[in-house]
Amino acid sequence: MDGTEGNAGQPGPAERSHRSSVSSVGARAADVLVYLADDTVVPLAVENLPSLSAHELHRAVREVLQLPDIALEAFALWLVSPLLDEPALQFRRNVFFPRRRELQIHDEDVLRLLYEEAKGNVLAARYPCDLEDCEALGALVCRVQLGPYQPGLPAACTLREKLDSFLPAHLCKRGHGLFAALRGRGTKAGTGEQGLLNAYRRVQEVVGEHEASLSTHYRAYLLKCHELPFYGCAFFHGEVDKPAQGFLHRSGRKPVAIAISLEGVHVIDSREKHVLLGLHFQELSWDHTSPEEEESALWLEFDGDNEGTPVNKLLKIYSKQAELMSSLIEYCIELNHTAEPAATQESMSGPSAAPGSLPPPAQRPQLRRQGSVVCSRIQHLSTIDYVEEGEKIKRVKPKRTTSFFGRQLSTSQGSYTVVQPADSLEQG
């Protein structure tokens, strides 16, 4: 990302923050500004700031916003700064808060904060989404901001004027992107707007729901975001090598975002807005190199194939935050091990539900459309491929053997395997 950040020791995404959260510092008091996901500011007058703990500051924010106790688990304080010169505090979703717990939240203020953060990630394309999902999510934003759809009102004009409030910016640019592609197929200009309008019409209203209550639509938006494998993750900036191209085998690097959550790791193309690689923790081993050894990098190792031959693949991600990412992966795995008994017990007894609340889905659907932006595109990555031959590691043009790294889930819990070479395997 653009800088370094953390939540009382935990890493996270760094976005906009060229602003300071401490407006004045004195021996006795300081005015602290805490930013919410929608860019609103919570001002706090804090006594003796240097001795204030993160927990006490978190409690102060909750008291000002009048949030229930669940907010202690659902949200965290993130310290964000490009160069750690003017740190800004943000109050947003805790990356360690399980999705299943989010389904049990019924407080509208908490749901609104989660909704605003998810919406910001979708509109900024930090959460890559297929067009139909962007339209479905955008329709819920229309419902929240414009109210129920009413035939006969000039809704289309409103959508056209504020299209980037409902769809990611790269889908709203005239002359290229979505609209250029649509027009190139002989469709009328504004087809994307029409798709959003159609989805807006389909937003269901809950019979008997209080007109001022938006909880149902906040929850619907979050449930749709739960289909995205990287929802609730922490983001980091990095680069990966491009595959060699052309007669001269020219390569280079491409910027990527590395998304790490309780479920696994995703590498996202920052320019093309699609997933390059998605792995559950059971499917990988990892390690990192520090600047003292060589260029700081996170290494991911996973199963794959090379021209039909099973191999193990190595991906090198260049990033100054490599050590931070490695620590977060390790902590997420440890946290999952700790949480497994509790989750099993909860699934047997069933989560508690408030009267009138929406039931959680029986199973979270996975987005696996052909060509979906959330599907891996390993062919767009430059990896080192290896297989094992006896006790040696043999590279397979470009290839590998036993895992280089000991940092991985135990084989009894994971599906990651060491690949044995075929007799006819070409080696180099």
Side-chain angles (χ1 to χ4, degrees):
M1 304 309 288
D2 297 328
T4 305
E5 57 186 70
N7 159 34
Q10 85 178 42
E15 298 114 30
R16 59 194 183 269
S17 68
H18 300 281
R19 55 211 174 181
S20 175
S21 278
V22 180
S23 57
S24 62
V25 180
R28 298 179 59 86
D31 294 329
V32 178
L33 306 179
V34 180
Y35 296 87
L36 304 182
D38 60 359
D39 252 359
T40 58
V41 179
V42 179
L44 300 173
V46 178
E47 295 289 338
N48 197 13
L49 179 61
S51 65
L52 193 69
S53 69
H55 182 79
E56 292 171 325
L57 192 58
H58 194 285
R59 181 177 60 193
V61 176
R62 298 198 317 272
E63 289 176 352
V64 170
L65 298 178
Q66 299 182 342
L67 299 177
D69 291 341
I70 189 64
L72 176 61
E73 302 177 60
F75 298 100
L77 286 172
W78 299 75
L79 183 61
V80 184
S81 175
L83 298 173
L84 292 180
D85 50 358
E86 294 184 352
L89 279 174
Q90 294 185 3
F91 186 80
R92 61 191 187 208
R93 192 185 188 280
N94 186 352
V95 69
F96 302 130
F97 188 62
R99 299 184 192 190
R100 67 177 184 278
R101 296 290 310 283
E102 192 170 285
L103 295 175
Q104 301 171 24
I105 296 176
H106 310 291
D107 182 86
E108 183 166 331
D109 291 331
V110 174
L111 290 173
R112 181 184 63 81
L113 290 174
L114 293 169
Y115 156 81
E116 289 289 350
E117 182 172 343
K119 180 187 72 173
N121 284 328
V122 170
L123 294 181
R126 283 185 291 273
Y127 289 170
C129 297
D130 294 322
L131 175 58
E132 47 266 62
D133 297 308
C134 287
E135 291 174 348
L137 291 167
L140 289 167
V141 178
C142 290
R143 171 58 184 87
V144 170
Q145 296 185 7
L146 306 178
Y149 176 80
Q150 299 182 34
L153 293 181
C157 294
T158 303
L159 297 186
R160 186 175 302 111
E161 294 169 359
K162 300 180 179 179
L163 198 59
D164 59 357
S165 297
F166 311 116
L167 294 175
H170 67 283
L171 297 182
C172 302
K173 295 178 181 178
R174 302 285 183 171
H176 59 283
L178 165 68
F179 293 103
L182 292 173
R183 291 168 187 160
R185 297 183 188 127
T187 55
K188 297 180 180 179
T191 303
E193 301 162 18
Q194 188 62 44
L196 179 61
L197 186 61
N198 292 338
Y200 184 18
R201 289 193 187 101
R202 293 193 296 269
V203 174
Q204 297 181 355
E205 300 296 327
V206 178
V207 178
E209 180 185 25
H210 191 274
E211 185 177 352
S213 175
L214 295 173
S215 295
T216 299
H217 305 296
Y218 292 152
R219 282 177 58 83
Y221 194 97
L222 293 172
L223 285 171
K224 185 66 177 174
C225 285
H226 282 197
E227 298 177 9
L228 303 172
F230 31 73
Y231 173 75
C233 66
F235 288 97
F236 303 87
H237 270 325
E239 292 180 324
V240 296
D241 292 318
K242 296 179 181 178
Q245 295 179 342
F247 177 75
L248 298 178
H249 298 285
R250 292 177 179 174
S251 57
R253 296 181 183 177
K254 68 171 67 178
V256 295
I258 302 92
I260 301 175
S261 68
L262 288 173
E263 280 74 28
V265 181
H266 285 79
V267 181
I268 300 170
D269 192 311
S270 300
R271 292 174 180 165
E272 299 299 327
K273 315 300 183 187
H274 58 217
V275 171
L276 295 170
L277 177 66
L279 296 169
H280 293 288
F281 291 129
Q282 298 93 331
E283 300 172 318
L284 63 87
S285 59
W286 86 100
D287 210 334
H288 74 280
T289 52
S290 62
E292 292 77 18
E293 304 173 67
E294 54 177 281
E295 187 173 1
S296 180
L298 177 72
W299 294 83
L300 299 179
E301 190 178 40
F302 55 97
D303 291 339
D305 70 85
N306 185 308
E307 298 181 352
T309 300
V311 296
N312 299 113
K313 289 181 173 286
L314 264 178
L315 175 66
K316 185 177 185 179
I317 303 173
Y318 305 91
S319 175
K320 294 180 180 179
Q321 298 174 306
E323 184 174 2
L324 204 58
M325 290 188 281
S326 179
S327 298
L328 179 56
I329 291 172
E330 185 170 17
Y331 187 76
C332 284
I333 291 175
E334 292 176 355
L335 198 63
N336 283 333
H337 287 335
T338 304
E340 280 175 3
T344 301
Q345 181 63 31
E346 183 179 279
S347 64
M348 293 175 62
S349 59
S352 58
S357 64
L358 294 177
Q363 184 176 4
R364 179 164 56 90
Q366 297 293 319
L367 297 178
R368 288 293 182 269
R369 304 182 186 97
Q370 184 177 4
S372 170
V373 296
V374 304
C375 292
S376 294
R377 290 164 171 77
I378 300 177
Q379 70 273 17
H380 294 174
L381 293 170
S382 177
T383 59
I384 303 172
D385 298 352
Y386 288 90
V387 294
E388 180 179 5
E389 183 176 299
E391 297 180 354
K392 298 181 180 180
I393 293 176
K394 290 287 187 180
R395 182 169 176 171
V396 181
K397 289 218 173 193
K399 287 184 180 176
R400 134 175 185 172
T401 176
T402 61
S403 173
F404 285 117
F405 314 130
R407 309 182 75 172
Q408 61 186 84
L409 288 177
S410 64
T411 55
S412 61
Q413 298 177 6
S415 58
Y416 177 78
T417 57
V418 173
V419 173
Q420 305 290 335
D423 294 336
S424 60
L425 185 63
E426 178 185 8
Q427 299 168 352

PDB file of all heavy atoms in Angstrom, residues 152-163:
ATOM      1  N   GLY A 152     -41.489   5.937 -12.802  1.00  0.00           N
ATOM      2  CA  GLY A 152     -41.940   7.259 -13.212  1.00  0.00           C
ATOM      3  C   GLY A 152     -41.025   8.381 -12.775  1.00  0.00           C
ATOM      4  O   GLY A 152     -41.053   9.470 -13.350  1.00  0.00           O
ATOM      5  N   LEU A 153     -40.193   8.137 -11.770  1.00  0.00           N
ATOM      6  CA  LEU A 153     -39.259   9.165 -11.330  1.00  0.00           C
ATOM      7  C   LEU A 153     -38.006   9.142 -12.210  1.00  0.00           C
ATOM      8  O   LEU A 153     -37.634   8.090 -12.738  1.00  0.00           O
ATOM      9  CB  LEU A 153     -38.878   8.949  -9.862  1.00  0.00           C
ATOM     10  CG  LEU A 153     -40.008   9.153  -8.851  1.00  0.00           C
ATOM     11  CD1 LEU A 153     -39.485   8.938  -7.437  1.00  0.00           C
ATOM     12  CD2 LEU A 153     -40.621  10.549  -8.984  1.00  0.00           C
ATOM     13  N   PRO A 154     -37.336  10.268 -12.369  1.00  0.00           N
ATOM     14  CA  PRO A 154     -36.148  10.321 -13.252  1.00  0.00           C
ATOM     15  C   PRO A 154     -34.920   9.683 -12.615  1.00  0.00           C
ATOM     16  O   PRO A 154     -33.890  10.320 -12.429  1.00  0.00           O
ATOM     17  CB  PRO A 154     -35.954  11.829 -13.471  1.00  0.00           C
ATOM     18  CG  PRO A 154     -36.491  12.455 -12.219  1.00  0.00           C
ATOM     19  CD  PRO A 154     -37.672  11.595 -11.806  1.00  0.00           C
ATOM     20  N   ALA A 155     -35.041   8.393 -12.279  1.00  0.00           N
ATOM     21  CA  ALA A 155     -33.935   7.712 -11.609  1.00  0.00           C
ATOM     22  C   ALA A 155     -32.732   7.566 -12.527  1.00  0.00           C
ATOM     23  O   ALA A 155     -31.577   7.658 -12.094  1.00  0.00           O
ATOM     24  CB  ALA A 155     -34.381   6.335 -11.109  1.00  0.00           C
ATOM     25  N   ALA A 156     -32.985   7.343 -13.825  1.00  0.00           N
ATOM     26  CA  ALA A 156     -31.880   7.137 -14.755  1.00  0.00           C
ATOM     27  C   ALA A 156     -30.970   8.356 -14.820  1.00  0.00           C
ATOM     28  O   ALA A 156     -29.744   8.236 -14.897  1.00  0.00           O
ATOM     29  CB  ALA A 156     -32.428   6.802 -16.143  1.00  0.00           C
ATOM     30  N   CYS A 157     -31.554   9.550 -14.795  1.00  0.00           N
ATOM     31  CA  CYS A 157     -30.743  10.774 -14.823  1.00  0.00           C
ATOM     32  C   CYS A 157     -29.889  10.884 -13.574  1.00  0.00           C
ATOM     33  O   CYS A 157     -28.727  11.274 -13.630  1.00  0.00           O
ATOM     34  CB  CYS A 157     -31.651  12.000 -14.955  1.00  0.00           C
ATOM     35  SG  CYS A 157     -32.533  12.087 -16.527  1.00  0.00           S
ATOM     36  N   THR A 158     -30.477  10.528 -12.438  1.00  0.00           N
ATOM     37  CA  THR A 158     -29.731  10.580 -11.183  1.00  0.00           C
ATOM     38  C   THR A 158     -28.569   9.605 -11.201  1.00  0.00           C
ATOM     39  O   THR A 158     -27.467   9.927 -10.770  1.00  0.00           O
ATOM     40  CB  THR A 158     -30.661  10.256 -10.007  1.00  0.00           C
ATOM     41  OG1 THR A 158     -31.758  11.167 -10.004  1.00  0.00           O
ATOM     42  CG2 THR A 158     -29.923  10.363  -8.683  1.00  0.00           C
ATOM     43  N   LEU A 159     -28.797   8.398 -11.705  1.00  0.00           N
ATOM     44  CA  LEU A 159     -27.730   7.405 -11.780  1.00  0.00           C
ATOM     45  C   LEU A 159     -26.622   7.866 -12.709  1.00  0.00           C
ATOM     46  O   LEU A 159     -25.441   7.682 -12.417  1.00  0.00           O
ATOM     47  CB  LEU A 159     -28.296   6.063 -12.262  1.00  0.00           C
ATOM     48  CG  LEU A 159     -29.334   5.379 -11.378  1.00  0.00           C
ATOM     49  CD1 LEU A 159     -29.656   4.008 -11.944  1.00  0.00           C
ATOM     50  CD2 LEU A 159     -28.842   5.251  -9.955  1.00  0.00           C
ATOM     51  N   ARG A 160     -26.996   8.470 -13.840  1.00  0.00           N
ATOM     52  CA  ARG A 160     -25.998   8.903 -14.808  1.00  0.00           C
ATOM     53  C   ARG A 160     -25.125  10.007 -14.219  1.00  0.00           C
ATOM     54  O   ARG A 160     -23.915  10.045 -14.438  1.00  0.00           O
ATOM     55  CB  ARG A 160     -26.691   9.388 -16.080  1.00  0.00           C
ATOM     56  CG  ARG A 160     -25.733   9.727 -17.215  1.00  0.00           C
ATOM     57  CD  ARG A 160     -26.486  10.085 -18.485  1.00  0.00           C
ATOM     58  NE  ARG A 160     -27.362   9.017 -18.926  1.00  0.00           N
ATOM     59  CZ  ARG A 160     -28.696   9.077 -18.897  1.00  0.00           C
ATOM     60  NH1 ARG A 160     -29.299  10.169 -18.452  1.00  0.00           N
ATOM     61  NH2 ARG A 160     -29.422   8.060 -19.306  1.00  0.00           N
ATOM     62  N   GLU A 161     -25.724  10.921 -13.469  1.00  0.00           N
ATOM     63  CA  GLU A 161     -24.984  12.043 -12.902  1.00  0.00           C
ATOM     64  C   GLU A 161     -24.053  11.602 -11.775  1.00  0.00           C
ATOM     65  O   GLU A 161     -23.010  12.217 -11.559  1.00  0.00           O
ATOM     66  CB  GLU A 161     -25.970  13.091 -12.375  1.00  0.00           C
ATOM     67  CG  GLU A 161     -26.788  13.759 -13.471  1.00  0.00           C
ATOM     68  CD  GLU A 161     -27.923  14.596 -12.907  1.00  0.00           C
ATOM     69  OE1 GLU A 161     -28.064  14.615 -11.664  1.00  0.00           O
ATOM     70  OE2 GLU A 161     -28.633  15.234 -13.693  1.00  0.00           O
ATOM     71  N   LYS A 162     -24.435  10.561 -11.054  1.00  0.00           N
ATOM     72  CA  LYS A 162     -23.647  10.119  -9.900  1.00  0.00           C
ATOM     73  C   LYS A 162     -23.200   8.667 -10.058  1.00  0.00           C
ATOM     74  O   LYS A 162     -23.131   7.930  -9.080  1.00  0.00           O
ATOM     75  CB  LYS A 162     -24.487  10.251  -8.621  1.00  0.00           C
ATOM     76  CG  LYS A 162     -24.965  11.660  -8.325  1.00  0.00           C
ATOM     77  CD  LYS A 162     -25.782  11.705  -7.034  1.00  0.00           C
ATOM     78  CE  LYS A 162     -26.247  13.109  -6.714  1.00  0.00           C
ATOM     79  NZ  LYS A 162     -27.053  13.131  -5.457  1.00  0.00           N
ATOM     80  N   LEU A 163     -22.881   8.278 -11.277  1.00  0.00           N
ATOM     81  CA  LEU A 163     -22.598   6.869 -11.542  1.00  0.00           C
ATOM     82  C   LEU A 163     -21.425   6.352 -10.719  1.00  0.00           C
ATOM     83  O   LEU A 163     -21.424   5.204 -10.273  1.00  0.00           O
ATOM     84  CB  LEU A 163     -22.317   6.669 -13.032  1.00  0.00           C
ATOM     85  CG  LEU A 163     -22.420   5.233 -13.555  1.00  0.00           C
ATOM     86  CD1 LEU A 163     -23.806   4.651 -13.312  1.00  0.00           C
ATOM     87  CD2 LEU A 163     -22.067   5.176 -15.033  1.00  0.00           C
TER      88      LEU A 163
END
